[in-house]
Amino acid sequence: MRSRLAGLALVILLSLAFLPQGATLVSLSDAPGSPFPVMALRPQAMTAGDFNNDGKIDLAVASYKCDPERDQRSDCDASATNGQVSILVGDGTGKFEEFQAGQRSPFRVAADPKGIAVGDLDSDGNADIVTAHSASNKVAVRRGNGSVDFVRAKQFDVPGAPTAVRLADFDKDGKLDIATANVVGDSVSILLGDGTGNFGSPKTFKVGNGPQMLLVADLNKDGNLDIVTANSSKTESVSVLISDGAGGFAVSHIALGTMPHAVAAADLNGDGNLDLATANTSTNNVAILLGVGDGSFGSPTNFPGGTNPNVIVAADFDRDGAPDLAVISASTSDLSLLLNDGSGRFSLGATVVAGNVPIDLVAGDFNRDGKPDLAVANSASNDVTVLLNR
C-alpha cells in the first residue's frame, strides 16, 4: 500500500469530459486542520447530528477501545475492552474538535461497537445515541442533554450479532424505533420505542446472508418507512423489507452476485421513484437498481466504483439536480466520486486518497455553504478526514 500522509491536502479536480452538460466542476479539498483526531483507537462507524443544539453539524464516532496514550482517565489502560464514542463538535466552517470539557468524550459503551445512529428518542429536543454491539448481541442507548453529555447506557438484547443500526418511526406512533442488521442471524430486528428511551423486545425478519448494513426509506410511496439491507455472504443480494406501517414487513430479495457491502437510496434517474446503489467489494463496481415505485426494482447495471468499495453515499456534489455517488475503499484507502448524467448512468470522475483505512463515510453541509461535503472515519490513523466541496 502506498504511503499516506495524514496532513496531505486532498483535492479532486474532475475532467469536464466526465460532467453532464451544464454541470459544475467539482473540487473537494481538506478542511483547515483536517484530519481531525479521535481520542480512541480504531474508529468503526460514524454518524452526524447536532449534539449541542447550536445548529451546526457535529460528528459521533464509534471506536473499538480507548487509547491509553491520550486518554488519561484511570479506567483506560491497555487491557480495557470498553468501546468508545467520540463527539467531534463542528464550528460551522468545516472544522471539528473532540468535546473534552471535563473529558466527557469519548464516552464508554459496550465492547466493539459496529454501528451508530442518532435521533431524539425521548422527545426532549436533544440528540441521543444508539450503538450496535455484535459481540454481545445488544444495542446500547445513551440519552443526550443538549450539552454534549449523555446518561448511562441502557442495553437491549438483539439476537444475531447486530452490526448496523438505524432509527425511524416504523409503526407511525410518532416515536422513534430501532432497526438493526444482524450479520450472523441473517436478519433485521425491529425494537419499537415508547418515546422515553425504552424499547420493546425485538421482532426479527429473515433477510439474505450476512447483512452488513441497512438503510431506511419509503420505497413504494405509501407513507410507511421501508428497509433495505446489503447482504455480502453466500447469496450476495439486497433484501427489501416493505413496511405495513405497524412494525411488520414483507421481505423480498434481489440477487446480485457481487458481494454488496453497502447500499444507498436516491432518485438517480429523475423519474420520481427511489433507486438503489450498492457498493460491491468483490467486483470493484457499483450496481444501480432503478426503482419502479412500488418497492420493486429492475435488473442491476454495473459501473466502475474503485477498488473493493465498502461504503457508499448519495448526494448532488456537482449541483446539477442529479444525485451523484461517493464510495470509499478500506483496502486501498481511496475515495471515488461517481458523477450521474441524470439518467442513472455514472462515470468515475476521480479517485483520491481518503485517509488511512477509511471505514465509514458521511455526507453533510459542514461549512453551511449549501454544498454537500464529506467526512471519512479512518480506522488505522484514529481520525476523521473532512473534505469540503469547493
Side-chain angles (χ1 to χ4, degrees), residues 29-51:
S29 61
D30 263 344
S34 175
F36 302 102
V38 174
M39 199 173 66
L41 296 174
R42 287 174 53 191
Q44 302 194 98
M46 179 173 61
T47 191
D50 182 4
F51 299 105

Side-chain angles (χ1 to χ4, degrees), residues 215-219 228 263-278 288-291 297 312-316 321-325 340 344 346:
L215 64 80
V216 175
D218 182 4
L219 301 175
V228 180
V263 59
D267 181 6
L268 300 175
N269 63 347
D271 66 352
N273 302 321
L274 284 180
D275 311 305
L276 302 178
T278 66
I288 303 300
L289 296 89
L290 297 180
F297 297 85
I312 186 169
V313 299
D316 185 5
D324 308 303
L325 300 172
N340 187 354
F346 292 83

Side-chain angles (χ1 to χ4, degrees), residues 5-329:
L5 299 178
L8 179 65
L10 305 179
V11 180
I12 302 176
L13 294 177
L14 300 178
S15 169
L16 285 170
F18 290 114
L19 292 174
Q21 185 176 3
T24 303
L25 186 67
V26 179
S27 174
L28 296 176
S29 61
D30 263 344
S34 175
F36 302 102
V38 174
M39 199 173 66
L41 296 174
R42 287 174 53 191
Q44 302 194 98
M46 179 173 61
T47 191
D50 182 4
F51 299 105
N52 57 357
N53 295 329
D54 66 353
K56 303 165 187 173
I57 297 177
D58 310 311
L59 299 171
V61 182
S63 298
Y64 178 68
K65 63 182 297 183
C66 70
D67 182 356
E69 291 188 3
R70 291 181 293 167
D71 189 340
Q72 301 303 311
R73 288 173 288 190
S74 60
D75 59 346
C76 180
D77 56 46
S79 63
T81 59
N82 291 79
Q84 311 285 300
V85 171
S86 296
I87 305 299
L88 277 64
V89 176
D91 69 356
T93 71
K95 296 180 181 179
F96 291 85
E97 184 176 7
E98 182 156 1
F99 177 80
Q100 296 183 36
Q103 205 157 322
R104 288 180 285 180
S105 178
F107 304 96
R108 306 290 190 259
V109 293
D112 202 14
K114 294 294 188 183
I116 187 168
V118 171
D120 184 2
L121 301 176
D122 52 8
S123 304
D124 66 351
N126 301 317
D128 309 309
I129 290 174
V130 179
T131 48
H133 304 268
S134 58
S136 57
N137 291 320
K138 295 183 184 297
V139 292
V141 174
R142 278 183 172 267
R143 290 160 48 207
N145 64 1
S147 298
V148 202
D149 196 9
F150 298 85
V151 301
R152 181 180 295 274
K154 288 185 178 180
Q155 296 187 352
F156 301 89
D157 293 330
V158 178
T163 57
V165 60
R166 295 291 184 268
L167 305 179
D169 182 7
F170 295 111
D171 57 357
K172 303 180 75 172
D173 65 352
K175 303 162 186 173
L176 285 179
D177 311 308
I178 295 174
T180 65
N182 310 316
V183 67
V184 175
D186 299 334
S187 62
V188 164
S189 292
I190 305 295
L191 291 75
L192 298 180
D194 66 2
T196 70
N198 290 306
F199 295 86
S201 298
K203 296 193 293 183
T204 298
F205 302 87
K206 277 292 184 180
V207 296
N209 301 120
Q212 295 289 336
M213 69 86 65
L214 75 166
L215 64 80
V216 175
D218 182 4
L219 301 175
N220 58 352
K221 298 185 283 191
D222 64 353
N224 302 324
L225 291 174
D226 311 307
I227 294 172
V228 180
T229 62
N231 314 310
S232 62
S233 300
K234 296 180 183 177
T235 57
E236 298 182 339
S237 64
V238 292
S239 295
V240 178
L241 292 78
I242 299 298
S243 172
D244 63 6
F249 294 84
V251 184
S252 61
H253 312 283
I254 304 171
L256 292 180
T258 53
M259 196 178 289
H261 198 275
V263 59
D267 181 6
L268 300 175
N269 63 347
D271 66 352
N273 302 321
L274 284 180
D275 311 305
L276 302 178
T278 66
N280 307 316
T281 57
S282 65
T283 49
N284 303 327
N285 61 18
V286 165
I288 303 300
L289 296 89
L290 297 180
V292 177
D294 61 359
S296 63
F297 297 85
S299 299
T301 302
N302 296 326
F303 300 94
T307 303
N308 306 130
N310 58 293
V311 182
I312 186 169
V313 299
D316 185 5
F317 295 105
D318 57 11
R319 304 179 74 191
D320 66 349
D324 308 303
L325 300 172
V327 295
I328 55 173
S329 168

